[in-house]
Amino acid sequence: MKQDWTGKTVVITGGSSGLGLAIAQAFAERGATPVLIARDASKLQRATEQIGAAASFVSADIRDGDQVEHAFQQIRERSGGIHALVNAAGLSSRAAILDTSVEDFQNLWDLNFLGMVRCTRAAADDLIHANGHLVNIGSLASKIASRHLGAYPVAKFSVAA
């Protein structure tokens, strides 16, 4: 049986494309009001148009704590509260480990792990108050890393841990 999410606000990071967009569409089909977060406002606009009238977005880079706080404050002001957070934002890399720079490691870890931490902390009070839901999207690469995934497994291992 599909759960009814009518009247519930669900925030999806990385919601402008890929898995995040698919998750947002699934929540909208179950009556939720999806709020998408990603960096590119034009992609977010297209994604919300694809989902339909229920969806909205806030453009933010989750690697920036101030932008995260501002985004979640905007969402609270619009919706009155957050009932679920899906941390689906993420980047991967394709490179041999020795061809992966320290900066590449930092960038992927900052987005894939610390971005999730920032968003979870920003939504925590709402989720606790609403007896809400938290979903963190990881990767099988956190358990078995192929030799050409560079920094990606390291960042996703942190999510799994």
Side-chain angles (χ1 to χ4, degrees):
M1 179 200 295
K2 293 181 180 179
Q3 184 171 349
D4 181 19
W5 284 84
T6 302
K8 306 286 186 187
T9 300
V10 180
V11 178
I12 302 103
T13 68
S16 64
S17 64
L19 185 59
L21 178 56
I23 290 168
Q25 289 172 316
F27 272 109
E29 290 168 5
R30 287 164 181 78
T33 302
V35 181
L36 313 180
I37 297 178
R39 292 174 290 175
D40 188 325
S42 62
K43 285 184 181 179
L44 285 163
Q45 180 66 42
R46 285 192 298 276
T48 56
E49 289 169 0
Q50 183 178 336
I51 294 169
S56 65
F57 70 87
V58 176
S59 178
D61 184 342
I62 65 170
R63 293 173 294 189
D64 182 314
D66 291 337
Q67 287 187 39
V68 169
E69 289 299 325
H70 182 70
F72 278 84
Q73 186 58 40
Q74 284 182 303
I75 294 166
R76 268 186 218 92
E77 289 170 3
R78 290 182 199 167
S79 68
I82 299 165
H83 301 92
L85 169 62
V86 179
N87 285 303
L91 286 175
S92 67
S93 66
R94 301 287 185 262
I97 198 75
L98 293 177
D99 294 333
T100 304
S101 70
V102 172
E103 292 77 18
D104 291 336
F105 275 95
Q106 181 65 44
N107 185 47
L108 287 182
W109 196 67
D110 198 20
L111 178 73
N112 293 347
F113 177 64
L114 292 178
M116 176 196 72
V117 171
R118 288 181 193 98
C119 291
T120 300
R121 292 178 61 84
D125 288 342
D126 290 89
L127 297 177
I128 291 167
H129 179 73
N131 196 26
H133 300 272
L134 173 64
V135 178
N136 296 322
I137 305 295
S139 172
L140 288 175
S142 68
K143 300 202 179 287
I144 301 173
S146 94
R147 61 198 314 193
H148 296 290
L149 285 180
Y152 181 72
V154 174
K156 287 301 187 174
F157 178 80
S158 301
V159 174

